[in-house]
Amino acid sequence: MKRASLPVVLLALAAGCASAEPPPPPVQGGLISTLPIGTYSCEMAGDAGGLVGKPLPEYEFHIVNASAYKAGGIRGSYLLTGDYLTMTGGKLKGLKLHRIKDTYLRKVEADGSDGEMRCVRSSRR
């Protein structure tokens, strides 16, 4: 079998690249992403003399697939753009969280700052 010369190979590669369409522009706020599936438990920070954290079961949610969660038995939807999560439907609709790590979130306050409430993935199921 005869090998193609280097200029022919490079020309073929360049022609393939030239016909490719440019990628779509990014969504405002960052790339769309998803959270790892699992249960996220939310709490307020504790103090040195008491509990490590004060559980907030009314904010607990479970990511069930790429864009859906369940809270209090009600299914809802979420949108994760960049590092900001917005609950767009369901029991927690309107809640905004800032993703610090894949499994660690902080509530976003009205002024845009990170609040005291934190949510951490407590189980993978």
Side-chain angles (χ1 to χ4, degrees):
M1 186 161 112
K2 187 177 177 184
R3 286 185 141 179
S5 67
L6 185 57
V8 172
V9 170
L10 292 176
L11 182 60
L13 287 173
C17 292
S19 66
E21 292 186 30
V27 175
Q28 185 175 5
L31 295 174
I32 294 175
S33 187
T34 60
L35 289 175
I37 290 174
T39 300
Y40 290 74
S41 299
C42 300
E43 64 184 18
M44 296 295 280
D47 58 44
L51 296 173
V52 174
K54 178 186 172 195
L56 298 171
E58 65 272 20
Y59 287 101
E60 182 176 287
F61 60 94
H62 180 80
I63 299 297
V64 294
N65 69 28
S67 62
Y69 75 95
K70 267 190 171 180
I74 300 169
R75 194 175 176 103
S77 54
Y78 74 91
L79 177 65
L80 179 60
T81 52
D83 287 326
Y84 289 90
L85 171 81
T86 302
M87 300 300 195
T88 56
K91 180 182 176 198
L92 300 176
K93 183 177 181 177
L95 177 65
K96 294 178 188 262
L97 300 165
H98 178 205
R99 178 175 59 176
I100 307 299
K101 294 183 180 177
D102 276 352
T103 58
Y104 180 76
L105 311 161
R106 297 295 293 247
K107 181 179 180 192
V108 177
E109 298 297 337
D111 65 1
S113 66
D114 286 351
E116 289 189 37
M117 185 176 86
R118 59 189 178 213
C119 300
V120 233
R121 187 173 75 173
S122 56
S123 75
R124 296 175 187 233
R125 291 186 166 215

